[in-house]
Amino acid sequence: MASSFFSSTPAFSKAVFFTFCAILWGLPELAFAKHAGITRHYKFDIKLQKVTRLCQTKSIVTVNGQFPGPRIIAREGDRLLIKVANHVPNNITIHWHGIRQLRSGWADGPAYVTQCPIQTGQTYLYNFTVTGQRGTLFWHAHISWLRATVYGPIVILPKRHVPYPFPQPFKEVPIVFGEWWKADTEKVINQALKTGLAPNVSDAYTMNGLPGPLYNCSAKDTFKLKVKPGKTYLLRLINAALNTELFFSVANHTLIVVEADAVYVKPFKTQTVLITPGQTTNVLLRTKPKAPIATFLMAARPYISGPVSFDNSTTTGLLEYDKASSPNDKNKKKEKKNENNKLPLVRPALPKLNDTSFSFKYNQKILSLANAKFPAKVSKTVNRKFFFTVGLGLGPCSKRQACQGPNNTRVLAAINNVSFVLPNTALLQAHFFNKTKGVYTKDFPANPPFKFNYTGNPPSNILVNKGTKVVVLPYETSVELVLQDTSIIGAESHPLHLHGFNFFVVGRGSGNFDANKDPAKFNLVDPAERNTVGVPSGGWVAIRFLADNPGVWFMHCHLEVHTSWGLKMAWVVLDGKRPHQKLPPPPSDLPKC
């Protein structure tokens, strides 16, 4: 695999690539390349591209004209320099989802949080180092709904000569799930924000950009995975969909989960993987010892946890076994074609669309390796405790706006009853230059403003407040955060993503969190380490993280509709006392608002 990874760096042979890095960044870096990694360069041209799916051609925003976008390949310890040039009318930013961005918050990417957008005709060089991470992550646009088409895989290999803690796969295959919309997604969300109601849903789900044969006009637009018998394949699964959690299964094949969110986990077998938007999961697939006389369907369809409209369709790909024919057979191609046409198609059995029980049990199985080589460094003591309610509510519309909610209201989403409003300038700049007045306030509530039965009947007043409020944390604060779903409008699972950190999932449960009883059951031995966690529908999840990364860090629901409605907030982590605990100044080409 390594040679193919290096060949993905355009226009450089290995030797030229290393020489170039040495000249550009100085010989000392090359001297330590064995330990510190190398510098890898990528160019992202944001451009419009006509793409045809479901019998319809539309112009979409892409990176380098590709859908999905190009694969980023790196090793643990490598430095990445990715120049993004915007050639489209839309403003753009790119987020490197799950990358810790240690002291490189200027490269994190969420619009109006760590940077102003890259405007039409402008460029920005994202500059960061992959520190202490290896596995599968992904990149995506982080402004409005542009990540509907602007996304791609990040593959971080271990350092050279460092093996995986599982059998070395014969081949590695990224599989990125997405959604396809016949409509312009920017118009979809803008229309929804005008009416105050839920937006329209997607027209198809995709597997590596292809819907598959269950959709009209899509038999040719099908992802096919050709495999050899008796081999182990590593599938790097990524959910880049805007608004849908997905079940994934391969007919008549068992999957072994070995990694989640670029952290190795205790391997476990499953027939079905559940993956929320923003999550990644690596699984091993062991093929049959001999090539079966069948083709196997790979399928992904939604997990729906709340009373919402959704795209009730299924994307499929084909797992096809490579059948070696006799070299003396002159008609082998013709026979193989005829044989493939006759092969029976085996379909997987997926859980029910609303199988919340499966969701809960599946997530309970994800545990850290927690061994000497890969310890689970979960904080045993906590400096600050927070309790955040997450869910939907209503907000008033102006008299000029004809919203279709009761009494001219619109749907909003909130954390602790605060529906977050993005400012007109980036939070990180305001923080760094100490010009926060009029940008944000430091009074985000640590607890809900009033208590109620969070998963029972909703209170009479379900109006939420709007504001730009943050939580300020001293450097190296140990944080415990309980995220509680609410049943206002309807209980629903919320995939919460925290920028700049991994966190440990120390507990989860159904109903209301009990501060007296539930902490005694927390797992502080081998909890899952993640960057995105599903808050259970009608339940809660408890996480812990160490605020060891100075900067401003976004936390939001990775269902894009909920982010648009305000289910988001930000943590401000102050500088430490030592030089390596401080955020450096912004780069000279940081975009301006």
Side-chain angles (χ1 to χ4, degrees):
M1 285 302 285
S3 61
S4 65
F5 287 151
F6 272 102
S7 66
S8 70
T9 307
F12 290 101
S13 68
K14 238 197 269 192
V16 174
F17 187 70
F18 278 110
T19 305
F20 180 82
C21 292
I23 294 169
L24 194 58
W25 303 112
L27 292 172
E29 183 165 334
L30 187 64
F32 291 103
K34 183 178 178 183
H35 305 286
I38 63 170
T39 300
R40 297 175 187 260
H41 298 255
Y42 286 87
K43 177 73 184 294
F44 276 21
D45 284 305
I46 311 297
K47 56 171 69 173
L48 294 173
Q49 180 70 37
K50 286 186 177 180
V51 175
T52 303
R53 297 287 186 273
L54 309 180
C55 285
Q56 183 188 50
T57 300
K58 62 181 283 196
S59 184
I60 63 172
V61 180
T62 68
V63 169
N64 300 346
Q66 299 175 37
F67 173 71
R71 191 182 309 177
I72 294 285
I73 305 291
R75 286 193 184 275
E76 180 186 345
D78 285 354
R79 180 187 186 187
L80 286 167
L81 293 175
I82 305 168
K83 187 175 183 180
V84 177
N86 187 5
H87 307 287
V88 301
N90 313 71
N91 286 345
I92 195 76
T93 69
I94 303 291
H95 170 52
W96 318 96
H97 185 109
I99 297 287
R100 282 290 317 272
Q101 298 292 1
L102 290 164
R103 298 179 64 238
S104 57
W106 305 106
D108 191 43
Y112 302 106
V113 179
T114 59
Q115 68 167 98
C116 298
I118 307 167
Q119 297 175 35
T120 307
Q122 293 184 344
T123 63
Y124 181 46
L125 183 67
Y126 288 93
N127 177 355
F128 57 91
T129 299
V130 180
T131 305
Q133 293 182 278
R134 81 294 303 164
T136 302
L137 295 170
F138 72 118
W139 57 264
H140 60 78
H142 211 303
I143 184 168
S144 192
W145 278 27
L146 287 183
R147 76 176 177 89
T149 57
V150 181
Y151 61 82
I154 301 176
V155 174
I156 307 169
L157 301 172
K159 291 180 179 179
R160 289 200 169 279
H161 312 301
V162 176
Y164 294 130
F166 47 79
Q168 178 69 26
F170 172 71
K171 191 176 181 182
E172 304 183 5
V173 184
I175 298 179
V176 189
F177 304 111
E179 291 166 322
W180 181 260
W181 306 66
K182 289 183 177 179
D184 180 337
T185 50
E186 293 302 283
K187 291 179 180 177
V188 169
I189 184 56
N190 289 338
Q191 176 68 16
L193 294 177
K194 282 181 183 177
T195 63
L197 299 181
N200 291 333
V201 300
S202 60
D203 297 285
Y205 300 108
T206 57
M207 202 176 293
N208 286 345
L210 303 170
L214 300 187
Y215 297 98
N216 288 338
C217 312
S218 298
K220 291 181 180 178
D221 292 330
T222 301
F223 172 64
K224 295 179 181 179
L225 178 57
K226 305 263 187 190
V227 297
K228 295 179 182 293
K231 302 290 185 182
T232 298
Y233 291 78
L234 180 68
L235 307 184
R236 296 178 176 270
L237 308 178
I238 298 165
N239 188 348
L242 282 183
N243 291 317
T244 312
E245 300 185 46
L246 294 168
F247 294 119
F248 171 74
S249 186
V250 181
N252 208 14
H253 288 72
T254 299
L255 304 173
I256 302 174
V257 177
V258 293
E259 180 197 297
D261 288 1
V263 179
Y264 298 133
V265 301
K266 288 185 172 70
F268 67 91
K269 294 181 179 180
T270 185
Q271 298 302 311
T272 302
V273 169
L274 175 62
I275 185 166
T276 78
Q279 288 184 339
T280 60
T281 306
N282 280 7
V283 298
L284 296 177
L285 181 145
R286 179 75 179 174
T287 55
K288 312 287 184 188
K290 293 183 179 179
I293 310 299
T295 297
F296 300 92
L297 214 58
M298 303 180 290
R301 78 174 184 197
Y303 161 56
I304 301 300
S305 60
V308 293
S309 58
F310 62 95
D311 174 0
N312 182 18
S313 64
T314 304
T315 181
T316 52
L318 299 176
L319 183 78
E320 298 178 341
Y321 275 78
D322 183 23
K323 299 170 185 63
S325 303
S326 167
N328 298 323
D329 185 359
K330 296 178 182 179
N331 299 315
K332 63 180 179 180
K333 287 186 179 178
K334 186 177 179 180
E335 286 188 10
K336 189 172 183 180
K337 183 178 179 182
N338 292 336
E339 182 185 309
N340 281 339
N341 290 338
K342 296 175 186 175
L343 290 180
L345 187 62
V346 184
R347 298 171 182 265
L350 286 161
K352 292 181 180 178
L353 293 169
N354 62 349
D355 197 338
T356 298
S357 173
F358 176 93
S359 167
F360 199 87
K361 290 174 184 174
Y362 176 86
N363 283 308
Q364 289 284 69
K365 294 176 184 175
I366 298 176
L367 299 168
S368 292
L369 282 180
N371 57 24
K373 204 168 188 180
F374 301 103
K377 297 178 180 178
V378 58
S379 300
K380 302 297 192 293
T381 57
V382 173
N383 305 129
R384 296 281 306 274
K385 290 188 178 183
F386 297 87
F387 182 80
F388 287 0
T389 54
V390 294
L392 306 182
L394 295 177
C397 290
S398 69
K399 292 181 180 178
R400 297 189 305 273
Q401 189 178 357
C403 289
Q404 296 175 24
N407 300 318
N408 197 35
T409 55
R410 52 171 292 197
V411 179
L412 290 176
I415 301 176
N416 276 356
N417 216 48
V418 177
S419 186
F420 194 85
V421 179
L422 284 175
N424 295 320
T425 189
L427 298 172
L428 185 57
Q429 285 168 276
H431 160 66
F432 186 86
F433 294 108
N434 199 24
K435 294 181 178 178
T436 61
K437 189 175 181 180
V439 181
Y440 65 80
T441 58
K442 303 173 184 178
D443 56 347
F444 192 93
N447 293 283
F450 59 94
K451 293 183 179 180
F452 61 98
N453 182 1
Y454 306 116
T455 55
N457 293 325
S460 55
N461 181 5
I462 61 172
L463 293 176
V464 303
N465 299 312
K466 295 173 74 173
T468 309
K469 302 172 183 284
V470 305
V471 174
V472 178
L473 298 171
Y475 185 78
E476 287 197 325
T477 301
S478 174
V479 175
E480 180 179 289
L481 169 62
V482 175
L483 296 159
Q484 171 73 60
D485 182 37
T486 66
S487 55
I488 298 174
I489 297 186
E492 190 174 355
S493 174
H494 299 278
L496 261 289
H497 172 50
L498 176 61
H499 290 228
F501 301 93
N502 280 357
F503 52 76
F504 289 96
V505 184
V506 296
R508 60 165 46 85
S510 57
N512 297 332
F513 174 73
D514 188 328
N516 296 318
K517 296 179 181 178
D518 288 325
K521 301 177 223 168
F522 283 179
N523 175 9
L524 303 180
V525 177
D526 58 356
E529 183 181 348
R530 309 211 67 156
N531 64 58
T532 305
V533 66
V535 180
S537 177
W540 56 270
V541 66
I543 67 174
R544 287 186 180 182
F545 67 94
L546 183 66
D548 60 352
N549 195 5
V552 178
W553 304 106
F554 207 26
M555 189 177 81
H556 61 98
C557 182
H558 226 272
L559 301 179
E560 207 62 49
V561 60
H562 290 174
T563 298
S564 299
W565 284 342
L567 212 164
K568 50 198 174 189
M569 57 83 66
W571 305 86
V572 175
V573 179
L574 302 177
D575 283 348
K577 295 178 181 178
R578 298 176 182 174
H580 70 279
Q581 298 173 341
K582 299 180 187 298
L583 178 69
S588 59
D589 65 337
L590 185 73
K592 294 177 174 61
C593 287

